[in-house]
Amino acid sequence: MTEIQKVLFDLQDEKYREFSCGLMPTVDPKCVIGVRTPELRKLAKKLAKEPDIDTFLHDLPHKYYEENNLHGFIIEGMKDYEACVQAMDAFLPYIDNWATCDQISPKSFKKHLPELLEKIRRWIASDRVYTVRFGIGMLMSLYLDDAFEPEYLEMVCSIRSEEYYVNMMIAWYFATALAKQYDAAVCFIEQKRLETWTHNKAIQKAVESRRITEEQKKYLRSLKIKK
């Protein structure tokens, strides 16, 4: 057992482990230790200062779910954009679940949106489920406010996949777009540009949002595709 693994087991919470396993059907329960996210983030900040942390970052694949999350949180804190992107590229192929994928949000990305966009285009064109999901997630979190352009909706709409975790993220993206950029996003729903399941799921997620008006919710419900 590595030194980092020993630290993680010292932070183990068995009840949280059981809870986490129930949310992640794609992860082998034997690979889940059961460490709460705030504890992992604190540990990541501490480890990031260690001079030999690259040894851990290069030791892929990791054995435990928490090691992957720790890895992602260390990347999050990297201040150098180029180093952060390089580390993210190296790590993405090893992400094997939605929870690890969705928790990573590198701070340096926010200051480099034009450069990041080309990287996102490559991520969403990947044949790896969680690389695609991560790319969509970055478009959702970083490009639906002041940096929004209608073409980004087209980028996500053009993705076609048989993978549940990709299609769920597409639906989540459009539901968020409907909350933040309604006039631009609703056209894609009206024209039924998404796959049927994704279309209906996006509407479902949107009408659950408090950021959508009751009038908009009523209209969106009328656009559901009956099977």
Side-chain angles (χ1 to χ4, degrees):
M1 184 180 293
T2 68
E3 184 177 343
I4 288 177
Q5 287 173 355
K6 290 178 182 177
V7 173
L8 290 172
F9 273 97
D10 285 341
L11 296 170
Q12 185 179 50
D13 181 329
E14 283 288 358
K15 288 186 178 179
Y16 185 70
R17 177 183 176 277
E18 292 178 13
F19 171 76
S20 297
C21 289
L23 297 176
M24 302 180 299
T26 64
V27 179
D28 184 344
K30 294 178 182 177
C31 296
V32 179
I33 298 172
V35 182
R36 294 181 180 273
T37 299
E39 294 293 339
L40 285 174
R41 289 190 181 277
K42 277 195 270 185
L43 181 58
K45 288 183 179 181
K46 179 181 178 181
L47 292 175
K49 299 175 183 178
E50 297 293 330
D52 59 347
I53 190 58
D54 282 350
T55 301
F56 171 71
L57 296 179
H58 292 150
D59 186 23
L60 291 166
H62 298 305
K63 180 177 181 179
Y64 293 103
Y65 162 72
E66 284 80 4
E67 288 180 290
N68 281 327
N69 286 359
L70 192 62
H71 192 132
F73 296 152
I74 291 171
I75 292 174
E76 267 191 352
M78 290 182 175
K79 295 181 180 180
D80 183 274
Y81 171 73
E82 293 296 338
C84 184
V85 167
Q86 186 175 358
M88 201 68 234
D89 268 338
F91 182 50
L92 277 172
Y94 297 95
I95 296 179
D96 62 358
N97 67 90
W98 69 267
T100 298
C101 180
D102 293 2
Q103 290 185 87
I104 304 171
S105 184
K107 296 178 178 63
S108 68
F109 283 6
K110 296 177 182 179
K111 298 179 181 180
H112 296 269
L113 296 183
E115 306 99 298
L116 180 65
L117 196 58
E118 183 53 40
K119 181 59 66 173
I120 288 175
R121 291 182 192 278
R122 295 180 185 179
W123 286 335
I124 66 175
S126 171
D127 59 356
R128 296 180 181 275
V129 173
Y130 297 103
T131 300
V132 177
R133 184 178 173 104
F134 181 77
I136 300 170
M138 290 300 97
L139 276 177
M140 181 173 71
S141 63
L142 299 175
Y143 297 86
L144 279 178
D145 295 300
D146 293 341
F148 174 74
E149 295 291 343
E151 67 182 85
Y152 304 152
L153 295 166
E154 193 68 49
M155 285 170 60
V156 178
C157 179
S158 67
I159 298 170
R160 288 293 179 267
S161 175
E162 298 296 323
E163 297 288 345
Y164 171 83
Y165 289 102
V166 170
N167 290 328
M168 179 58 83
M169 182 57 89
I170 295 172
W172 188 8
Y173 172 86
F174 270 93
T176 307
L178 285 164
K180 292 188 171 187
Q181 302 290 345
Y182 181 83
D183 290 341
V186 74
C187 298
F188 287 77
I189 304 301
E190 290 172 333
Q191 296 168 18
K192 298 179 172 58
R193 297 282 308 282
L194 303 174
E195 295 287 344
T196 298
W197 184 91
T198 310
H199 171 98
N200 287 340
K201 184 61 69 172
I203 291 174
Q204 176 191 325
K205 291 292 183 183
V207 299
E208 291 172 356
S209 173
R210 295 180 180 179
R211 295 177 291 182
I212 304 271
T213 68
E214 288 303 318
E215 184 179 355
Q216 290 170 338
K217 290 179 181 181
K218 182 178 180 181
Y219 179 57
L220 288 171
R221 289 189 184 98
S222 76
L223 297 176
K224 289 196 75 172
I225 299 174
K226 296 180 180 180
K227 298 179 181 179

